[in-house]
Amino acid sequence: MKKIKRNPEIVWRIEIEEEELLKRAGNGEDVSEDAVITLVIADMVHQLNYVASKIWMLSDGTMGEDEIVSKILENFETDEKTLKEDINFFLSRLLKEGWLIYDENKNT
Amino acid sequence: MMKTKIPNTPLLVNWSLSVHCNFNCKHCYSRLEKYSELSTEENKEIVKKLVAAKIYFANFGGGEPFLKKDIFDIALFARENGLHISVSTNGFLVDEEIVKKVKESRISKVEISLDSAREEEHDNFRNKKGSFRKAVTAIELLKKNNIDVAVSSVISKINYKNFSELIDLVRKLGVKKVTFHNYKCSGSGFINRDELDLTPQEWMEFYKNILIKKKEVSDIIVSLDDPVICLLKEFGGREKTIVPGSSCGKLSLAIKPNGDVTPCGFMPVSIGNILKEDISDLWKNSPVLLKLRNKEAKGKCVSCESYEECLGGCSARAYAMSGDFNQPDPHCWKEDDVKNPA
């Protein structure tokens, strides 16, 4: 399977470190829709929530689509089928937009 | 729905390296400003501070940026350190040599001021004969050299009825983005506002017409940056943004030639100096920025159903006209519901 990586042309930054986010979540705060990562693409600002940010961070060229999905599923106690569909949808959308790309040099 | 949250530091800084200019535009916000200028090394120090604060985009404005002799040295240093530089210019000085330097210094985008497709209108507004020809030539040269070019246009009495012609010209020149900026009543723009600024009704008509046009145009990005557009929901309203109201002090800051930091270029209120203070600290704790992010509705804004989205419109314009950025944007055409109940 082809590995997925972030498009190196895209400028992005982390707004909230995972440790801080998890600490706040541990205190009962709903952090599921906090903007964790900001991307700037063609003068447009996009923000990613926690799950989307996890996918973004995992897309470092070491994993394929299925591996990313499995990794995310390990971390979330929720309906597996729905989450899997959401992750696949998100990945395919970002691949279509070119924000994520297949690393042609790396295959499983 | 993603929670709206102010980023940890600005996403963009609008950076004026100098207020010197080869033009004398009637609407210019900076011509009357006087600042000492920093050395190349001091400007590079600013670059380091921006990158350390994870700020990755800066736009060199002015004044005319290409008059600044060390601009390319600073731009290359910035790019090598991870700061992406764009330049807003009148294009008058752009020739083969400048284009070569733009490429060598890895400037990512050049935005050329072009206010009308009619040569005389543009030259009259820019107060410079030949400026239209030079701007068009600059765009052609930059395009020829595969440099990302955008067009920037200030809306005034002179051009507000002819925007479609400008979009056509932009298309003909092969440019993919045109931004129509609302008129700011700062500097010379304040002095000449009666001659150049539109009335609130004219602004409404302009925005209605351009929103209709925008829907028809699919090959060019037509960008409008005015929060009051959210009053025109039936015409599509304001483009999706991550913060309500104006973005100044929420997504961006401005830096003056001496390093002073202001919420935006059009609001002459210094919140500190980047060389003397920590930019992240200013961003988080400046009382001025905190007030801008927590505006209080005043006047007709109190009863306006669009306030949550518009937040009183352009804070710089309200500040310039009333000295209080909580006052309604003077461009707003909405009737005061309290004074004028339906």
Side-chain angles (χ1 to χ4, degrees):
Chain A
M1 181 185 287
K2 285 178 188 167
K3 309 290 188 189
I4 292 174
K5 67 176 184 181
R6 299 179 286 269
N7 184 335
E9 298 292 315
I10 289 175
V11 180
W12 60 281
R13 73 181 193 191
I14 297 170
E15 298 293 339
I16 311 171
E17 292 294 342
E18 188 172 16
E19 193 183 342
E20 186 197 331
L21 200 77
L22 294 176
K23 196 173 155 190
R24 281 173 40 204
N27 291 334
E29 203 179 318
D30 178 13
V31 295
S32 59
E33 292 306 320
D34 272 31
V36 179
I37 283 179
T38 301
L39 317 175
V40 181
I41 303 161
D43 295 342
M44 295 290 287
V45 179
H46 306 268
Q47 294 188 311
L48 305 182
N49 67 12
Y50 182 44
V51 181
S53 297
K54 288 286 285 183
I55 297 170
W56 184 257
M57 294 303 289
L58 289 169
S59 302
D60 60 358
T62 62
M63 287 181 229
E65 214 161 322
D66 289 347
E67 291 162 290
I68 291 172
V69 171
S70 304
K71 201 80 184 164
I72 297 283
L73 288 171
E74 279 174 22
N75 287 278
F76 292 92
E77 290 170 15
T78 184
D79 174 46
E80 190 175 320
K81 187 173 171 284
T82 310
L83 185 61
K84 201 171 174 178
E85 280 169 8
D86 288 350
I87 298 166
N88 279 323
F89 175 74
F90 181 74
L91 274 172
S92 59
R93 202 179 123 205
L94 265 56
L95 284 162
K96 192 179 162 199
E97 293 288 343
W99 300 6
L100 294 177
I101 53 177
Y102 288 113
D103 193 341
E104 298 299 335
N105 299 321
K106 290 184 184 173
N107 288 307
T108 305
Chain B
M1 179 84 177
M2 185 82 69
K3 269 190 227 168
T4 298
K5 193 165 179 280
I6 305 296
N8 290 339
T9 52
L11 298 173
L12 166 77
V13 292
N14 289 300
W15 186 354
S16 169
L17 294 169
S18 166
V19 291
H20 290 124
C21 193
N22 48 349
F23 280 23
N24 186 10
C25 302
K26 293 174 183 174
H27 69 291
C28 182
Y29 69 96
S30 66
R31 186 157 192 90
L32 304 176
E33 294 178 343
K34 293 205 179 346
Y35 293 102
S36 55
E37 289 181 22
L38 300 173
S39 67
T40 309
E41 288 315 307
E42 285 169 318
N43 279 316
K44 287 182 178 176
E45 200 53 41
I46 292 179
V47 168
K48 287 183 200 166
K49 286 190 147 214
L50 295 175
V51 174
K54 293 187 179 177
I55 298 166
Y56 301 132
F57 292 95
N59 180 66
F60 287 158
E64 169 48 45
F66 288 137
L67 280 175
K68 181 83 176 162
K69 288 199 164 45
D70 55 359
I71 181 178
F72 299 109
D73 189 5
I74 300 164
L76 182 59
F77 180 80
R79 190 65 190 86
E80 284 172 344
N81 282 275
L83 180 65
H84 296 248
I85 297 292
S86 55
V87 176
S88 295
T89 169
N90 57 42
F92 205 81
L93 299 170
V94 175
D95 56 12
E96 295 279 5
E97 196 187 332
I98 291 277
V99 169
K100 188 169 171 264
K101 288 178 179 170
V102 166
K103 280 191 108 163
E104 284 170 357
S105 58
R106 297 166 65 197
I107 287 169
S108 57
K109 187 168 80 177
V110 179
E111 198 173 57
I112 304 280
S113 299
L114 195 55
D115 303 302
S116 175
R118 301 178 187 186
E119 186 168 348
E120 201 183 326
E121 266 182 14
H122 175 90
D123 286 4
N124 185 26
F125 185 58
R126 293 280 157 184
N127 227 353
K128 185 90 167 177
K129 198 160 174 54
S131 57
F132 175 86
R133 285 277 141 222
K134 287 275 193 179
V136 169
T137 304
I139 291 167
E140 289 169 343
L141 260 178
L142 291 159
K143 286 282 301 169
K144 198 175 96 183
N145 285 276
N146 299 317
I147 294 164
D148 190 10
V149 192
V151 163
S152 173
S153 184
V154 177
I155 292 302
S156 72
K157 289 258 194 215
I158 288 172
N159 60 2
Y160 79 103
K161 289 180 178 165
N162 305 328
F163 65 86
S164 286
E165 292 173 18
L166 184 61
I167 293 173
D168 291 341
L169 176 61
V170 165
R171 178 181 292 112
K172 198 174 143 198
L173 289 167
V175 175
K176 293 291 172 204
K177 183 177 179 185
V178 54
T179 302
F180 289 96
H181 296 280
N182 56 75
Y183 187 89
K184 302 287 195 307
C185 300
S186 307
S188 302
F190 182 82
I191 294 166
N192 296 313
R193 67 190 187 282
D194 290 341
E195 180 195 343
L196 294 171
D197 198 4
L198 277 57
T199 64
Q201 285 304 309
E202 286 169 336
W203 278 112
M204 181 181 71
E205 286 309 315
F206 166 72
Y207 281 132
K208 277 182 181 175
N209 292 333
I210 200 162
L211 285 170
I212 292 167
K213 180 76 180 177
K214 192 172 150 68
K215 277 185 188 168
E216 295 165 9
V217 175
S218 57
D219 56 336
I220 294 169
I221 298 168
V222 176
S223 180
L224 308 165
D225 65 350
D226 199 333
V228 297
I229 298 170
C230 63
L231 291 171
L232 297 172
K233 288 190 180 61
E234 67 274 31
F235 291 85
R238 195 181 182 202
E239 287 163 52
K240 198 180 156 208
T241 58
I242 62 167
V243 290
S246 70
S247 61
C248 307
K250 296 174 200 155
L251 300 178
S252 60
L253 282 178
I255 300 175
K256 297 293 181 183
N258 65 349
D260 276 0
V261 179
T262 61
C264 83
F266 305 104
M267 196 186 285
V269 181
S270 174
I271 62 166
N273 187 290
I274 187 167
L275 286 175
K276 295 172 191 153
E277 285 149 283
D278 179 69
I279 187 85
S280 304
D281 184 48
L282 287 175
W283 180 254
K284 280 192 186 84
N285 300 315
S286 154
V288 174
L289 296 187
L290 293 175
K291 279 183 190 166
L292 275 168
R293 292 169 195 158
N294 297 283
K295 285 176 74 173
E296 294 167 28
K298 285 191 178 173
K300 62 185 178 184
C301 291
V302 173
S303 59
C304 180
E305 68 276 8
S306 297
Y307 185 76
E308 289 299 309
E309 196 183 341
C310 168
L311 292 180
C314 172
S315 304
R317 219 155 38 211
Y319 183 80
M321 296 300 284
S322 69
D324 178 2
F325 49 66
N326 285 315
Q327 289 292 333
D329 185 332
H331 283 179
C332 175
W333 52 84
K334 196 167 185 291
E335 293 291 327
D336 187 337
D337 291 341
V338 178
K339 284 184 191 158
N340 306 292

